[in-house]
Every structure is written in structure tokens, then in C-alpha cells.
Amino acid sequence: MAAYGRRKRPKLLILICGAIFMGYVMFFKRKSGEVSLTNRREVTGEEEYELLKKPVYEKPPLDLEAVGEMGRAVKLNLNEEEKRKEEESIKAHQINTYVSDKISLHRRLPERWNPLCKELKYDYRSLPTTSVVIAFYNEAWSTLLRTVHSVLETSPDILLKEVVLVDDYSDKAHLKEPLDKYISGLNKVRLIRATKREGLVRARLLGASITTGEVLTFLDCHCECHEGWLEPVLHRIKEEPKAVVCPVIDVIDWNTFQYLGHAGEPQIGGFDWRLVFTWHSIPDYEQKRRRSPVDVIRSPTMAGGLFAVRKDFFHYLGTYDTGMEVWGGENLEFSFRIWQCGGSLEVHPCSHVGHVFPKKAPYSRSKALANSVRAAEVWLDEFKEIYYHRNPHARLEAFGDVTERRMLREKLGCKSFKWYLDNIYPDIHVPHDRPGMFGMLKNRGKTNYCFDYNPTDENVVVGQRVILYLCHGMGQNQFFEYSVNGEICYNTREPAGCIAGDNISTYLTVQLCRTRGQPVPSDQKFIFRKDGSLYHVHSQKCIEAIDNTDNGTPAPSLQPCSDSLHQKWFFEERM
Ligand code: UD2
Ligand code: MN
């Protein structure tokens, strides 16, 4: 027995040494990653880093001469027949897909990020993996497939689990067998189809349900990802699992396909009291909070199409409101919910993705109103009245049942909308809407005529003249509010406008309201007297309804005060 034992000892030693050696081998293997190292020599840290960054597919060699390459604008010399085809493509998609079809599905984009972004290094092995979900409805071939290829060619293989395409019951032939066939030749891409039109909310959820990554990344079906778009987003989510992170959305022109991104500070999201999403610049308090230009930017809302969220956190938050149809409203609903229920919504300045904003809506979006009402009914508390006052037709909209969504809010113990406004969106103008001091602003002399403001450019609220028009009772551009500070506000949109008069013209225009905490400038100050007159402090005149204007359109005008009924005004709320 002793001899046997003696003989066994060297064997044991060999075993132990062997185990230690294997341990080293395993350790080294793990260190060098799951990446395939083709040559046997040791790789340097830098080489290894490059390997980890490798996308699912490499882009084909660059052909600088190719149409629209590097995000350049496309300008084609077309004959009559070709022009006709181009027009047809625009009619069908509200995007110039004739031009899109001429551009490589693999084109590269110009560098449009803050140079500091390039210096950020990521620990690839510790980043969460992601699945990219792209729902589409009747999308053109080249815009859809350029999206898919751009994801595959800019996302590190090690981070991308799969791309899930969801066909939301499209009826175009090119999206049937030809798409199946094309997709089957691509690594990591799956295609599923809805069996009826679901709308983008349920289509996205259908896609999400078959994903395997830790993070869900949603994209629209007409996007192009900029190099390095994915890493910063996943890094942020690893650092803060309750962060929902959006890339910067760069514009791709619908007509020329020019990539219009810029490396400056991105814009963030807000909303106005029509519950329409708005863009605005980063407020000072947020710039102060950030320590560097490559820090995330907290945003009150998101545009909706492009964002990443941990799958488990998305489920915790109650995914989406599946009672929402087709398009619209889900982006604000989700934004409110993220903030009110303990998450944060952020834009990462180092993540850039291009998006083609169409010429106009390519399909009916009539369900958007009901979707917005659902969002208001669940999240806005008493502030929903501000929305209804400006959009009286919304009160009549059949929005379905929101009991479950209210229960979700209860279950998660979410904060109030007042908290959200005070803490997350302190810059928004919050109207007071005192009884009798808001609605249509009607004249007693020129009966059934109302203050009316209809800026021609949706994005430029200020600067134009206020006119008088037949009262329509639909809120919106005939909705005004007399504020506690003596301003006549046009605050249906954001930024809020205030009516101003000057000494040059007698007419009134809408200008930006003062910033919070500033006194009301005298040219925006009106005293609404008991007798119904509106006295302009700066000019010491009263507002009178005038027919005889320089351009023939009746308008309110500053005139010497008199007893005329044309100088008597009152608010009416009724629709
Ligand atoms: C913006 C968002 C969009 C969505 C929408 C509000 C961006 C860049 N885009 O409008 O993602 O949040 O606001 O709802 O932030 N789709 C379907 N089924 C439908 C309708 C649309 O699958 O019934 C798909 C569509 O093909 C696209 C995505 O959903 O991939 C968003 O639709 P969109 O591109 O028409 O919306 P967009 O960009 O005008
Ligand atoms: Mn879109």
C-alpha cells in the first residue's frame, strides 16, 4: 500500500501542474476573448481592441465616386421619363426613393460627432448585448435594407444579438418573398410578420418578444447608423440600468438623401400643450449639470423612434400602452412614464443615427389623437385640462379603456405630473387658465370674430400678426389666455408666445414671452378692464377690432381708447 502511495505522488504533482497550466490557458483564452485569433502570436491590446470592435459585416471597399457616398446630396440629371418615375416614388413614399435606390445600401457617413467621442474606449466584454427591433409598414426596399445593412456594418458582432424586422402587415409585393429571400442570406437578421395591421406599438412589442439580447434597441425602418453609435448607448445603460438612452437623430434629407448631422450640441425633446413633440436646445441648468460634452443629456421627452432600454426595465415599466393604434402619442406617453416612474431619459451625444423625415405623412395618422388622449388621461393629472382647453375636440375622442394603465401607474408608485413639470421640464410654460380668462377672444362690436394666430411655419411661432377671423371654437390657433401677469398668451404651442404691440405699427404680433422670473415687458402688458377693454400699457391705447386694414384682413389694432363696442372683448370657452 505504501509503495503504491509513493508511486502515486509524482502523478498527483503532474495532475496539479496540469490543472494550473490548464487554468492559465483558460484564463488567457478568456482574456483574449471570444474573438477568433487567426495567428498564434500574442495579440497586442490595441489589436485585440480592434477585433472586439469588429462589426457583423465589414463595409465593401469605398467607392468615393458612387452616388450619395459619404452622405453627400444626390443631384441627378434626369430625362422626362426618369423625372416622372422620381415623382411617382415621392408620391408613393413621401420620400424620394428613386434617389435612394441609386445609393449604395452600404454607404458610409461623414464623421458627425464631437471629436472627444472618438477618444472614448469601451470594455466590450462587459457591455450588455442588444437586439435591434425595426418595425416597418410599406417601406421602400432601399431605405429598409440600408437600415438593416447599416446596423450590421456599424454594430460590433460581440454586442449585437440579432436584428428583428417586423412587417406590420404591409401590402407591397417587394416586402413579401423577395424580402424573405434577401433576409435569409443575412447573418443575425430575423423577419416576423404581423397577421393584421398592429400599428407601431404592438408591432415593436411583437418584435421585442422574440429577442434574446439584454437591451432592446428600437429603430425606424429608414435609418442609417453612424460609426460607433451603439457602444456609448450600451455603456450608459450598463452604468445606469434605469436609463433609457436615445441616439442623436440626424436628419437625412428626404429628397437628396444628404446626411445633415452636425457635431455641435444636439437638441433634446419637449412637448407643447397640443401634446405635440418639440425639439429644443439644451437648457442652462442641464449644461451646468453635465461635466463634459460627451456626457449624456437629460431630455424631458423623446422623438420616439430611436432608443435603447434594458429589456427587464422595459418590462418593469410596462412596455407600451397596447391600446395605442398606428402612430403617434406613444413617444410622449413613454417619456412621461419613464420619468414619473423612476427612470431617466437621456440623449447620448456620441451616438448618432440618421433618419429620413418624410416630406409629409405617408399613411393616415388619424389615430394619433386617441393615443394622445390616452397619454393625457393616464399621466397628466389635473394638467390634462390645459390640454383639453386648447384641443376641445380631444374631449370627444373615443380613447378606449385606460384602467389597466392607471393601475400600472398605481402599482409602480409613479410620481405626479406636477413633479415631472417642476423637476424634469421646468422650462415649459404652464398656463393658469383661470375661469373666464381663456378660450376664444371675442369682440362685442364685430360679433363672432375672434383673435386668430396662424404662423405659416410650424417651427417659427413668433413674429407674425394677429388677425380676426370667424370664431371656430376648435381651440388651437384661436386659443388665448390672459395671464395673472397681464399677458395675452398664445400658449398652445411651445415656446409660448405673448401678444405685443409697438409704436411703429398699430397691429399686434406674437413675440416670445419673457423668460421665467423676468418682469413682463411693457409692450406685452395689457390691462383687461371690467368694461371689457384691453388697455396696452406701452402705447396707452386700447385694442380695437378693425376691418379697414392695410392688407384687407380684419385685425385687432391699437387705437385711442373709446367707448366703442369694437373695443370690448370677452373670452369664451365653449366649442
Ligand atoms: C416619429 C418617430 C416614430 C414614432 C412616431 C410617433 C422618430 C425618428 N420617429 O415619427 O418612431 O415614435 O414619431 O408615433 O423618432 N410603423 C409600423 N406600423 C404602423 C405605422 C408605422 O410598423 O402602423 C413603423 C414605420 O414603418 C416606422 C416606425 O413605425 O418604422 C415609425 O413610423 P414613422 O417613421 O412613420 O414615424 P415618424 O418617424 O414620422
Ligand atoms: Mn420614421
Side-chain angles (χ1 to χ4, degrees), residues 12-32:
L12 197 71
L13 208 72
I14 290 166
L15 259 169
I16 291 168
C17 290
I20 292 170
F21 176 72
M22 282 305 284
Y24 269 114
V25 170
M26 299 290 278
F27 178 71
F28 176 75
K29 265 195 127 169
R30 233 198 98 60
K31 279 277 290 184
S32 55

Side-chain angles (χ1 to χ4, degrees), residues 135 137 168 197 204 220-222 303-305 327-328 330 355 363 365:
Y137 171 71
D168 190 10
R197 178 83 176 275
R204 280 179 191 165
D220 274 9
C221 57
H222 29 247
W327 179 97
E330 96 294 341
H355 171 265
Y363 50 85
R365 293 175 172 179

Side-chain angles (χ1 to χ4, degrees), residues 421-441:
L421 291 176
D422 289 346
N423 295 279
I424 307 304
Y425 198 7
D427 285 345
I428 193 176
H429 172 101
V430 183
H432 292 276
D433 286 3
R434 294 168 300 156
M437 294 296 176
F438 64 86
M440 290 177 275
L441 188 44

